[in-house]
């Protein structure tokens, strides 16, 4: 009975809050449209209110759908009530600080002067509201994931970030549960993920060169004595990856479909574990899960969330209309927005949202050249490709002009497998004679500050978004420079990839995805072809 009352209480609170909050937001919008610009602190809370209301609606939807646990409902009730306190406080401040159409000029003047006293209070309200947004969004996402991941069936989500949140949620609720992450972007990455599971669980024989790592991990996961586990299969976008030949021990050489089913057998459907899959392809999702009912679609970021991301990433003030136009021009893509704000922040105060919008329109011809080239698998992002290429062009041109050595570093990195790029293979391999004194750390910091490259926790390996890699490679191709970089890449891989002896096995495992990437880098120069063939031979 108490649980039922708690549910009724939180749902009733949310309904009242959404109604009340919508009226407060409408008052701010009417003030802005009728009486001109509002103070900056009110602009901030005005941008956050729609996000808060949406988070409240998502929470109610999760409760209505029955996918939120009773403990979570109880835990969220104080947060929902806290939202009501903050919205009520904001409404009180608006009444005291912002003039209305019936106010005399004297009263308006007094309110304008007095509004300065409320800046700190509104800023505090905004900060608290942002915290509640994060709490509500997290629990709604985690509850949705939890419902669709319970049991032993294979499930799917399309957003890696929700998978990350879910993994933290699992560890928080059940510290004894194993949580493993496997990248499915390529066969090499998939096997590497399983090898890391074996290493972490200290499975006997995991480091032997002839070990069947998929079977070893599969057997361990099936053993209930090893405890509860969750395996997250990330970026399962290509069904061809799942044709990984388990015929190594089954002797089967079927078609892609049967091979995919064979690889799927390495993902155990066990009562002591759950598997969560993320993918951008609905078709692949269906082939892997076998049911459209198990597919949960994560919709594109909407305008309010895109604006909230823009404000979180960008300091200073800017016109609301410019912000709306920018996120719309970038198709509400988080990576594109992040790259744009990084560029603006790096070049402020000369760079502004308004000027960046102008720059976006200048490079249509160059961008069209890039998009005219077949980008294969990348086209599954649709307009996202255009947005990210557009922001990449602006950042790349600036870096190329201000720090050419950093663009050369980016050019080399674009040929690696996009994940796990080792620092040891980059230093001293991309410079030219005229920038021999350039500092690797400075070049790397430039690329990271423009959100073109990211680093792992230890800071010794790097990764790039696939469209950033694609944009860089295609630009090099259009400029006639791709062949030269291919030669550099296969040469350094030949120098770095060891002969496949037992003592070299760990190094071979770490570098194998990058040796595999060299397959697509076949050069035309005779000497470089020998190096390319050597890499393929050693990695075979």
């Amino acid at each position: 009975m108490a649980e039922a009352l708690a549910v009724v209480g939180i749902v009733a609170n949310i309904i009242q809050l959404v109604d009340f909050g919508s009226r407060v937001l409408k008052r701010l919008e009417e003030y802005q449209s009728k009486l001109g610009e509002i103070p900056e602190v009110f602009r901030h809370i005005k941008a956050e209110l729609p996000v808060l209301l949406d988070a409240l609606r998502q929470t109610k939807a999760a409760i209505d759908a029955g996918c939120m646990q009773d403990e979570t409902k109880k835990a969220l009730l104080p947060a929902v009530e806290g939202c009501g306190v903050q919205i009520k406080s904001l409404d009180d401040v608006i009444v005291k600080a912002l003039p209305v159409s019936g106010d005399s000029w004297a009263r308006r003047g007094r309110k304008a002067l007095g509004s300065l006293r409320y800046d700190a209070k509104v800023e505090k309200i905004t900060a608290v509201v942002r915290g509640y947004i994060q709490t509500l969004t997290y629990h709604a996402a985690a509850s949705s994931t939890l419902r669709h991941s319970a049991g032993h069936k294979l499930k799917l989500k399309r957003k890696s970030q929700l998978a990350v949140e879910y993994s933290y949620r699992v560890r928080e609720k059940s510290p004894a549960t194993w949580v493993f992450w496997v990248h499915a972007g390529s066969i090499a990455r998939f096997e590497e993920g399983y090898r890391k599971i074996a290493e972490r669980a200290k499975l006997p024989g995991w480091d032997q060169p002839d070990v069947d790592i998929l079977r070893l991990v599969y057997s361990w996961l099936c053993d209930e004595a090893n405890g509860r586990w969750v395996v997250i299969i990330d970026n399962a976008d290509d069904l061809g990856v799942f044709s990984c030949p388990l015929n190594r021990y089954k002797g089967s050489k079927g078609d892609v479909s049967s091979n995919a089913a064979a690889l799927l057998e390495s993902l155990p459907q066990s009562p002591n574990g759950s598997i969560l899959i993320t993918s951008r392809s609905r078709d692949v999702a269906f082939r892997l899960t076998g049911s459209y009912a198990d597919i949960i679609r994560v919709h594109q970021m909407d305008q309010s969330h895109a604006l909230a991301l823009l404000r979180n990433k960008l300091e200073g003030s800017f016109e609301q209309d410019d912000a709306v136009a920018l996120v719309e021009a970038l198709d509400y893509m988080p990576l594109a927005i992040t790259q744009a704000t990084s560029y603006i922040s790096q070049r402020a105060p000369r760079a502004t949202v308004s000027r960046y919008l102008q720059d976006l329109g200048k490079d249509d011809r160059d961008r069209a050249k890039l998009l005219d080239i077949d980008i294969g698998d990348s086209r599954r992002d649709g307009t996202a490709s255009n947005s990210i290429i557009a922001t990449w062009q602006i950042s790349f041109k600036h870096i190329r002009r201000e720090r050419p050595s950093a663009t050369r570093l980016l050019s080399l990195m674009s040929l690696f497998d996009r994940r796990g790029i080792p620092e040891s293979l980059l230093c001293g391999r991309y410079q030219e004679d005229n920038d021999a004194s350039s500092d690797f750390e400075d070049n790397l910091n430039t690329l990271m500050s423009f959100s073109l490259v990211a680093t792992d926790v230890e800071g010794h390996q790097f990764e790039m978004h696939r469209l950033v890699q694609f944009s860089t490679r295609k630009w090099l191709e259009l400029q006639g420079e791709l062949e030269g970089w291919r030669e550099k890449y296969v040469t350094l891989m030949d120098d770095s990839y060891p002969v496949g002896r037992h003592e070299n096995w760990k190094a071979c495992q770490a570098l194998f995805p990058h040796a595999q990437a060299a397959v697509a880098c076949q050069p035309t120069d005779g000497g470089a072809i020998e190096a390319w063939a050597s890499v393929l031979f050693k990695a075979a």
Side-chain angles (χ1 to χ4, degrees):
M1 182 65 179
E3 286 78 8
L5 289 174
V7 173
V8 173
I10 191 172
V11 171
N13 266 314
I14 290 174
I15 293 173
Q16 294 174 359
L17 271 179
V18 170
D19 178 67
F20 183 39
S22 298
R23 285 187 276 118
V24 172
L25 178 62
K26 185 177 180 181
R27 288 178 60 185
L28 287 171
E29 291 173 341
E30 288 176 348
Y31 174 84
Q32 187 172 19
S33 62
K34 293 180 180 179
L35 301 174
E37 193 57 55
I38 57 179
E40 184 175 353
V41 290
F42 286 92
R43 292 203 300 270
H44 292 167
I45 190 62
K46 179 176 174 289
E48 297 292 341
L49 264 182
V51 185
L52 176 63
L53 297 178
D54 184 63
L56 287 166
R57 293 188 187 99
Q58 290 180 23
T59 301
K60 180 179 180 297
I63 295 172
D64 291 342
C67 60
M68 185 172 286
Q69 296 181 337
D70 290 337
E71 295 86 350
T72 303
K73 297 169 191 172
K74 292 179 182 178
L76 284 181
L77 183 56
V80 173
E81 292 173 344
C83 291
V85 172
Q86 298 305 315
I87 294 177
K88 178 64 169 61
S89 297
L90 176 62
D91 185 59
D92 292 339
V93 172
I94 290 175
V95 172
K96 297 175 182 177
L98 295 183
V100 296
S101 57
D103 286 345
S104 64
W105 286 107
R107 183 173 177 78
R108 289 189 187 187
R110 288 194 299 272
K111 282 190 173 182
L113 290 173
S115 66
L116 299 175
R117 302 198 308 268
Y118 297 102
D119 282 5
K121 186 170 185 177
V122 177
E123 287 176 354
K124 183 177 179 180
I125 292 173
T126 304
V128 174
V129 164
R130 284 173 178 161
Y132 284 140
I133 289 172
Q134 293 176 356
T135 300
L136 293 170
T137 302
Y138 170 83
H139 283 288
S143 297
S144 176
T145 307
L146 186 62
R147 178 172 72 99
H148 292 281
S149 300
H152 63 270
K153 282 190 175 183
L154 296 180
K155 304 296 178 183
L156 178 135
K157 261 195 175 292
R158 292 183 61 231
K159 289 292 185 182
S160 298
Q161 187 59 44
L162 291 184
V164 172
E165 291 181 356
Y166 174 59
S167 69
Y168 280 108
R169 174 73 168 169
V170 169
R171 292 305 301 273
E172 179 184 350
K173 185 176 181 180
S174 178
T177 298
W178 295 88
V179 178
F180 303 115
W181 197 283
V182 178
H183 292 289
S186 68
I187 295 172
R189 283 296 179 206
F190 191 94
E191 292 195 343
E192 180 187 9
Y194 262 51
R195 198 171 301 279
K196 288 182 177 179
I197 293 176
E199 180 180 10
R200 182 177 165 196
K202 296 180 173 58
L203 305 188
W206 72 269
D207 56 347
Q208 298 301 310
D210 58 347
V211 67
D212 188 334
I213 200 66
L214 298 179
R215 173 57 67 182
L216 180 66
V217 173
Y218 172 86
S219 299
W220 185 84
L221 292 173
C222 286
D223 187 350
E224 295 186 28
N226 294 319
R228 297 284 304 170
W229 51 262
V230 173
V231 175
I232 297 171
I233 308 296
D234 193 25
N235 292 327
D237 304 323
D238 183 0
L239 192 63
V241 169
F242 289 84
S243 63
C244 177
L246 292 186
N247 49 48
R248 288 181 300 183
Y249 58 87
K250 284 198 163 191
S252 170
K253 291 186 179 291
D255 58 17
V256 169
S257 178
S258 63
N259 281 338
L263 180 60
L264 206 57
E265 292 176 9
S266 68
L267 307 178
Q269 300 191 32
S270 171
N272 62 306
S274 303
I275 298 176
L276 181 69
I277 302 174
T278 74
S279 178
R280 293 178 294 113
S281 169
R282 184 175 175 84
D283 180 60
V284 172
F286 174 73
R287 299 287 291 276
L288 295 180
T289 63
S291 171
Y292 285 114
D294 289 336
I295 299 173
I296 308 170
R297 183 179 179 184
V298 179
H299 294 280
Q300 181 185 15
M301 179 180 283
D302 60 20
Q303 185 184 96
S304 62
H305 288 89
L307 287 172
L309 175 62
L310 185 73
R311 284 186 168 81
N312 287 337
K313 296 285 186 181
L314 199 59
E315 296 182 357
S317 60
F318 44 82
E319 293 295 330
Q320 172 76 5
D321 291 345
D322 288 340
V324 171
L326 178 58
V327 297
E328 182 178 340
L330 299 178
D331 305 307
Y332 308 128
M333 286 297 300
L335 177 60
I337 295 171
T338 299
Q339 288 183 347
T341 54
S342 296
Y343 176 89
I344 295 170
S345 297
Q346 285 295 311
R347 302 195 66 199
R350 289 183 56 80
T352 63
V353 172
S354 177
R355 288 185 180 179
Y356 194 91
L357 270 171
Q358 296 174 12
D359 290 341
L360 275 177
K362 292 179 181 178
D363 297 313
D364 286 346
R365 182 175 300 178
D366 292 338
R367 186 155 65 252
K369 289 180 181 178
L370 287 173
L371 292 174
D372 281 343
I373 301 172
D374 181 19
I375 63 176
D377 197 50
S378 298
R379 278 203 183 273
R380 282 187 285 190
D381 266 354
T383 56
S385 303
N386 197 353
S387 302
I388 295 172
I389 290 173
T391 55
W392 169 88
Q393 278 186 308
I394 292 175
S395 298
F396 186 79
K397 286 186 175 182
H398 171 73
I399 296 171
R400 186 168 180 248
R401 182 175 62 252
E402 300 295 330
R403 194 173 187 86
S405 56
T407 62
R408 284 190 276 278
L409 175 58
L410 185 70
S411 299
L412 179 60
M413 295 177 74
S414 72
L415 298 174
F416 284 81
D417 183 274
R418 73 183 189 92
R419 296 183 186 275
I421 303 173
E423 177 183 344
S424 59
L425 267 61
L426 299 174
C427 295
R429 305 308 293 255
Y430 64 92
Q431 289 94 341
E432 293 183 353
D433 293 338
N434 59 351
D435 59 18
S437 61
S438 65
D439 183 74
F440 172 76
E441 293 297 331
D442 289 341
N443 292 328
L444 180 65
N445 182 65
T446 298
L447 299 180
M448 293 179 64
S449 66
F450 282 89
S451 301
L452 297 174
V453 173
T455 183
D456 64 1
V457 176
E458 290 79 18
H460 300 307
Q461 291 189 338
F462 313 104
E463 64 179 54
M464 300 171 66
H465 191 278
R466 58 193 179 77
L467 279 174
V468 173
Q469 274 199 324
F470 161 77
S471 302
T472 305
R473 289 196 302 266
K474 290 308 178 183
W475 185 89
L476 292 172
E477 183 178 342
L478 289 172
Q479 300 300 315
E481 299 179 15
L482 184 59
E483 177 64 22
W485 284 106
R486 281 177 170 172
E487 293 177 4
K488 288 179 183 289
Y489 181 66
V490 298
T491 300
L492 80 85
M493 284 305 305
D494 186 34
D495 293 341
S496 306
Y497 200 89
V499 178
R501 298 192 184 98
H502 182 276
E503 60 268 24
N504 298 329
W505 191 243
K506 192 166 186 178
C508 290
Q509 291 171 354
L511 294 179
F512 180 70
H514 305 297
Q516 191 177 51
V519 174
C521 295
Q522 181 177 356
T524 57
D525 177 75
I529 286 182
E530 291 183 8
W532 177 75
S534 175
V535 174
L536 269 57
F537 174 76
K538 289 187 285 187

